[in-house]
């Protein structure tokens, strides 16, 4: 599975590889922001704890959905 991913990655153009790396960095940034909201108690936000947990989880899910849609759009552009 990983070797297939690496072969497909090498077949992509430079622009597609760049967009994939940028979308991966975007996903990691959203996950970091969500984890900060979830676990950093010293973060001074005027939100109740349960709302802070919900927002943190939603940010992580949003980052994951954005990453998946970006990968799907890059894969469909290969087929065209």
């Amino acid at each position: 599975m990983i070797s297939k991913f690496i072969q497909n990655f090498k077949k992509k153009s430079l622009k597609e590889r760049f967009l994939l790396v940028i979308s991966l960095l975007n996903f990691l940034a959203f996950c970091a922001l969500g984890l900060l909201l979830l676990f950093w108690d010293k973060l001074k936000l005027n939100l109740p704890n349960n709302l802070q947990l919900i927002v943190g989880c939603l940010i992580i899910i949003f980052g994951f959905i954005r990453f998946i849609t970006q990968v799907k759009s890059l894969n469909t552009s290969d087929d065209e």
Side-chain angles (χ1 to χ4, degrees):
M1 182 175 149
I2 294 175
S3 62
K4 183 180 177 184
F5 176 76
I6 292 172
Q7 288 174 351
N8 286 339
F9 186 76
K10 288 180 180 178
K11 289 180 185 178
K12 293 185 184 298
S13 69
L14 183 61
K15 175 185 163 189
E16 290 171 338
R17 282 188 249 169
F18 176 74
L19 288 175
L20 185 64
V21 169
I22 291 297
S23 65
L24 181 62
L25 290 175
N26 193 8
F27 169 68
L28 292 175
F30 275 115
C31 282
L33 180 63
L35 290 173
L36 280 175
L37 284 173
L38 288 176
F39 296 114
W40 197 12
D41 293 332
K42 294 181 182 177
L43 190 64
K44 300 293 183 195
L45 294 176
N46 292 330
L47 295 174
N49 284 339
N50 58 353
L51 187 59
Q52 192 170 346
L53 291 174
I54 291 170
V55 170
C57 291
L58 287 177
I59 288 175
I60 293 172
I61 292 169
F62 176 72
F64 183 71
I65 290 172
R66 279 191 54 145
F67 179 70
I68 295 299
T69 55
Q70 182 70 28
V71 169
K72 283 184 181 181
S73 70
L74 288 174
N75 286 337
T76 56
S77 67
D78 286 344
D79 296 338
E80 294 175 355

